[in-house]
Amino acid sequence: MQGHGQAPPVKPPPSTGLLVFLRVFFVVISVCSFGLLGWTMMLRLALVTRKSLDWGLFVATLAAEILGLVLLGTEPGEEIHTVGGWLGLALLFGSLVVVISYYLAADIRHFHQLGYAAAGYAQHQQQPSAPVYGYPQQQSPYTAATGPHTPVPPMAPIPQPATPQPSTPTPTPPPQRPAPARIDQVRAELDELSDYLRKHEDGR
């Protein structure tokens, strides 16, 4: 089931060889008939393009060739001597040159555009979008602008500089000093010992 608004399939153009053959064929029969069959080129072009302009040119070409043939037919004798005869000849050959130029240019342009349209349709069919309830899913404008999502790795935390902690001095025990009473006692004993030794030496 085709989604709403989907373009119909485009018919691919014929092969290049066939197109070249048809162009050469219609030009050759028009030239060989001295312009009497020039209308066949415009008829084929109108059937291919289906444009009102080409149908109008086909009618104008056919009328010009009929008028030129009538003017040539009114010429007395086998040679052209009157203005009407020269005008009929100019209509046949003049319209032939114009029709050949227009036919080749319009036919080539038409099938060139048709080939581009067929190529675009084929490329669109190769990459279909997933339909949702019969409608093609539209892509988000944010997604279309940024492209496919790429996960961003988390940023590592910035290490904070360590705050120097004030060093706490270890309390040193106060030097132990001998008690004053102990010093005095030792001094007294030394004095007594020195007195005793002195007396002992005097007694000798």
Side-chain angles (χ1 to χ4, degrees):
M1 182 179 180
Q2 295 182 353
H4 180 71
Q6 184 176 0
V10 179
K11 184 180 179 180
S15 62
T16 305
L18 178 60
L19 293 176
V20 172
F21 171 77
L22 291 175
R23 291 163 188 163
V24 173
F25 173 76
F26 282 100
V27 170
V28 168
I29 64 174
S30 300
V31 173
C32 292
S33 64
F34 298 100
L36 295 178
L37 297 178
W39 58 269
T40 57
M41 292 184 292
M42 297 307 301
L43 177 60
R44 178 184 179 270
L45 182 63
L47 291 174
V48 169
T49 61
R50 298 179 181 179
K51 294 181 178 179
S52 57
L53 174 62
D54 294 335
W55 282 109
L57 292 176
F58 160 69
V59 174
T61 303
L62 184 60
E65 291 178 357
I66 293 176
L67 178 59
L69 187 60
V70 170
L71 292 176
L72 285 176
T74 58
E75 183 71 22
E78 296 181 356
E79 295 182 359
I80 302 175
H81 300 285
T82 62
V83 177
W86 289 111
L87 181 58
L89 185 64
L91 284 175
L92 287 178
F93 286 98
S95 63
L96 178 63
V97 174
V98 174
V99 167
I100 289 176
S101 303
Y102 179 80
Y103 165 71
L104 292 177
D107 191 72
I108 292 173
R109 181 175 63 251
H110 171 74
F111 285 104
H112 187 67
Q113 295 175 352
L114 189 63
Y116 270 112
Y121 178 78
Q123 184 178 5
H124 176 73
Q125 289 298 107
Q126 291 177 359
Q127 300 176 353
S129 58
V132 179
Y133 298 106
Y135 292 89
Q137 184 177 6
Q138 297 182 355
Q139 189 178 12
S140 173
Y142 300 100
T143 306
T146 58
H149 176 68
T150 304
V152 180
M155 298 179 61
I158 301 176
Q160 298 292 336
T163 304
Q165 299 292 337
S167 58
T168 304
T170 304
T172 55
Q176 296 182 359
R177 296 180 180 179
R182 181 73 176 172
I183 295 175
D184 295 339
Q185 182 180 358
V186 172
R187 186 180 297 122
E189 291 178 355
L190 289 176
D191 292 341
E192 290 178 358
L193 181 60
S194 60
D195 291 340
Y196 174 76
L197 290 176
R198 190 180 300 109
K199 289 179 180 180
H200 184 69
E201 289 179 357
D202 294 339
R204 288 184 178 179

